[in-house]
Amino acid sequence: MSVPSDQDLIERWRGEPAPLLPTLHAFHERDGYISEEALRAVSSGLAIPLAELFGTLTFYHHFSRQPAGRRAPRVCTGNICCLKGGREVLAALKEEGATAMPCAGRCDDPVPVLREHQVFVGTTAAALQSRPSPVPRPNPGGIEECVFAAIRNPGRATLEGYRDSGGYEGLLQALEMDPAGVVGLIEESKLAGRGGAGFPTGLKWKAVAEAPGAPKTIVCNADEGEPGCFKDRAVLDLDPHAVIEGMTIAAYATGAARGFIYLRYEYPETCEILAGALEEARQAGLIGDKIAGSNFAFEIYLRRGAGAYICGEEGSLLNSLEGKRPLPRNRPPFPVTHGFEDLPTVVNNVETLASAPQILRRGAAWYQNLGQNGQAGTKLISLSGDIEVPGNYEVPLGLNLQTLLYDWAGGPVGGRSIQAVTMAGLSGGFLAGADLDVTLDEPGIRGKGSFLGAGGIMVFDDRRNMVDMAHNAMAFFAEESCGKCFPCRIGTQRLTERLAGAAGPTAQAQWIEEVRDIGATMMATSACGLGMAAPHITESLLKYFPQQITRHLES
């Protein structure tokens, strides 16, 4: 098989929307790194100034600039993996040129090591093996599910397996309605964004449907970079057609003609699964022209990121798709009117989109009634850390956290006690003590000073030094800060230094005053959610663990 030329690679993608990322991936795969010559060829072929292209390329973690760099293993050193042997695995693979990477979405099956197109997992270098995503366990209470209702069925990832349990019936029902009726049904269901922001999905779809400008776009945000979150990976690996169907329903409802799945780099096997599912759907007439024999047309493009936490923020994600440096956008205007290519765009999370087909099939009232204590619907929770049964769980909104931790997940490991949990991955900070008696919904958790967000919960038992846990979390935010705004860029670094004991006052009162002042400034003035959320780590540490802070300052 002949090696494609520079021109071949550029021409392959230049005719499609959002060509930069797949073009860079093609050169990276062909050569094993991005050479100076390749960079110049891409700059010329896609008409991107060389300096701008260099700034964009070097923003991402995983595009290597050194020969053979793509083949070097990358080892997760996220918060959970560090507790399960991540640093030891990294040290053992140093002779192979291994480098650290942030949380890679395998907290339920640590430690992930990324080698080219494959992820291996194991708690020692000798034990590394490739295995698929764990199948979510059924909840022990027999509580009805939405997204996970059929995910355990054999063959569910294939078109045949998906249709065997009602797949694409929601789309066919939508095509028999007018688009406004579909939007109204989603509004009535009270489905809200499950990626963290919680914005009402029906209102977002309605805004895009009513906005002037075309072509409109549906973007599936599958850049699951929040540490402790791995639910989207399970849905995409085991039920990819649910997301494709959800995107197509959203497109019909809003009048969109094109869609993108923006997938995080650290999920290479998922990329292959999605590519296969998209082709199955295309061949079956479920995406493309004249969908299911109608006059409705919608095409979906798969785009793989290159490693940047900030790309989970919708403005950064859109800039990444457009081939720009992926910095957050100033808002307003919002993506519903000025999104991809400055045109109306829906940006929805994987879980949100996978919920839509079930709502079309079963109705708005059915979905609302899945929740508890006045809450509507369900939430996927990624549970990891010092817990007997880590994994993904679909819970009714309003379920008590203690029920999930003890009745569903078996409680802490080895007879220990739970000292703290994180909320929203890391972004919601810690909950501890009496505040662990909380319901899993935004009103309940916000009442404790945190938020549910994307639904990642890490568990830390009584062995853990919580100042160390906070330091690891803040170091992650400091590394991933895009640098656009100085409150986040400088604030995360200063908080990391203080948690490490490397700078700042040693007297506890002054230390607390300074940490709180930095955090308040970040929350009030940062440009995006990263800088606003990071101080939840230090604020919750101050709230729950003052004695550990005292020991930290005295040591």
Side-chain angles (χ1 to χ4, degrees):
M1 187 175 179
S2 60
V3 177
S5 67
D6 290 0
Q7 194 62 29
D8 290 337
L9 297 182
I10 291 167
E11 290 299 326
R12 163 65 182 86
W13 297 104
R14 184 158 51 184
E16 288 196 4
L20 178 60
L21 278 173
T23 302
L24 290 174
H25 280 300
F27 277 90
H28 199 233
E29 185 168 334
R30 186 196 67 179
D31 301 337
Y33 75 117
I34 304 290
S35 66
E36 190 72 30
E37 294 75 15
L39 199 61
R40 292 183 181 279
V42 174
S43 171
S44 175
L46 298 183
I48 302 172
L50 186 61
E52 180 181 325
L53 179 60
F54 182 83
T56 300
L57 173 76
T58 53
F59 190 92
Y60 298 104
H61 292 306
H62 292 300
F63 284 134
S64 176
R65 298 276 289 124
Q66 302 299 320
R70 181 174 172 272
R71 291 198 294 271
R74 278 145 284 178
V75 181
C76 180
T77 54
N79 296 66
I80 297 303
C81 285
C82 280
L83 300 180
K84 306 293 184 180
R87 290 193 180 96
E88 292 76 12
V89 173
L90 176 63
L93 297 177
K94 274 295 185 183
E95 289 186 3
E96 299 179 37
T99 56
M101 65 178 170
C103 181
R106 283 274 187 165
C107 314
D108 54 339
D109 192 18
V111 171
V113 176
L114 180 61
R115 296 179 185 267
E116 300 193 69
H117 279 305
Q118 202 165 7
V119 175
F120 299 84
V121 292
T123 53
T124 67
L128 291 173
Q129 59 179 290
S130 175
R131 51 179 175 251
S133 290
V135 176
R137 296 175 183 235
N139 68 71
I143 295 174
E144 189 172 7
E145 297 170 313
C146 174
V147 178
F148 283 171
I151 200 169
R152 305 170 191 91
N153 293 358
R156 175 72 175 180
T158 66
L159 178 58
E160 181 181 3
Y162 184 65
R163 301 197 83 164
D164 280 347
S165 50
Y168 289 104
E169 288 179 6
L171 173 60
L172 297 179
Q173 289 184 31
L175 293 174
E176 293 176 359
M177 305 165 64
D178 62 38
V182 177
V183 172
L185 181 65
I186 297 298
E187 277 192 281
E188 186 184 349
S189 75
K190 298 186 180 179
L191 174 65
R194 296 299 190 230
F199 189 83
T201 304
L203 287 181
K204 182 179 286 190
W205 290 13
K206 183 178 182 180
V208 171
E210 294 176 350
K216 296 175 181 179
T217 306
I218 307 296
V219 175
C220 172
N221 183 347
D223 192 64
E224 185 176 44
E226 182 68 44
C229 291
F230 42 88
K231 62 186 178 67
D232 292 350
R233 187 199 77 223
V235 175
L236 293 167
D237 282 359
L238 302 169
D239 207 3
H241 284 281
V243 179
I244 295 169
E245 184 181 10
M247 291 182 70
T248 310
I249 290 170
Y252 177 74
T254 59
R258 61 188 179 182
F260 297 97
I261 301 174
Y262 187 100
L263 178 69
R264 70 178 302 187
Y265 182 90
E266 292 86 354
Y267 293 170
E269 293 96 343
T270 306
C271 193
E272 295 179 10
I273 291 168
L274 277 172
L278 286 168
E279 186 57 28
E280 281 187 310
R282 194 173 291 112
Q283 291 297 325
L286 296 165
I287 56 173
D289 295 328
K290 297 186 180 300
I291 291 173
S294 71
N295 291 322
F296 168 53
F298 176 63
E299 186 55 74
I300 298 177
Y301 303 92
L302 178 58
R303 295 291 180 263
R304 188 182 180 196
Y309 170 77
I310 200 65
C311 285
E313 192 275 334
E314 62 181 8
S316 301
L317 186 156
L318 293 170
N319 281 338
S320 180
L321 278 176
E322 291 179 2
K324 301 172 184 174
R325 187 166 179 158
L327 301 176
R329 296 180 176 183
N330 294 328
R331 298 183 297 179
F334 294 92
V336 292
T337 57
H338 296 76
F340 181 70
E341 295 180 341
D342 218 25
L343 292 165
T345 300
V346 168
V347 182
N348 277 150
N349 162 265
V350 167
E351 180 185 347
T352 311
L353 291 163
S355 301
Q358 296 282 33
I359 293 170
L360 263 293
R361 288 179 59 214
R362 300 170 184 266
W366 168 83
Y367 184 75
Q368 282 190 45
N369 291 332
L370 293 177
Q372 297 180 356
N373 302 318
Q375 301 297 314
T378 66
K379 182 74 189 77
L380 301 186
I381 300 292
S382 297
L383 188 62
S384 63
D386 299 324
I387 194 79
E388 283 287 353
V389 190
N392 287 303
Y393 296 85
E394 183 167 11
V395 307
L397 280 171
L399 183 77
N400 193 281
L401 174 60
Q402 303 275 27
T403 301
L404 172 62
L405 293 176
Y406 290 93
D407 298 346
W408 292 23
V413 295
R416 312 292 308 197
S417 61
I418 293 177
Q419 181 178 193
V421 303
T422 66
M423 284 288 134
L426 288 177
S427 295
F430 304 112
L431 287 183
D435 285 348
L436 292 174
D437 186 14
V438 67
T439 53
L440 290 166
D441 52 68
E442 288 295 352
I445 296 173
R446 287 187 184 275
K448 307 297 184 183
S450 184
F451 59 99
L452 182 58
I457 298 178
M458 304 182 201
V459 180
F460 300 100
D461 67 26
D462 53 359
R463 293 171 293 173
R464 309 304 180 188
N465 181 319
M466 296 309 299
V467 177
D468 286 347
M469 299 302 101
H471 171 257
N472 291 345
M474 196 60 68
F476 166 80
F477 285 125
E479 173 66 23
E480 294 298 327
S481 175
C482 72
K484 178 180 179 179
C485 71
F486 75 85
C488 176
R489 182 180 69 243
I490 298 173
T492 52
Q493 293 287 350
R494 295 296 173 262
L495 291 177
T496 301
E497 292 166 358
R498 277 138 188 80
L499 290 167
T506 56
Q508 186 161 338
Q510 286 91 347
W511 190 92
I512 290 173
E513 182 182 6
E514 189 171 273
V515 165
R516 283 195 164 139
D517 183 57
I518 294 169
T521 302
M522 291 172 63
M523 286 182 169
T525 60
S526 291
C528 81
L530 191 160
M532 296 174 190
H536 282 110
I537 292 291
T538 43
E539 282 300 306
S540 57
L541 183 73
L542 291 167
K543 177 180 180 180
Y544 297 115
F545 303 107
Q547 292 179 337
Q548 294 196 34
I549 292 172
T550 300
R551 290 197 296 270
H552 165 70
L553 294 172
E554 290 176 349
S555 62

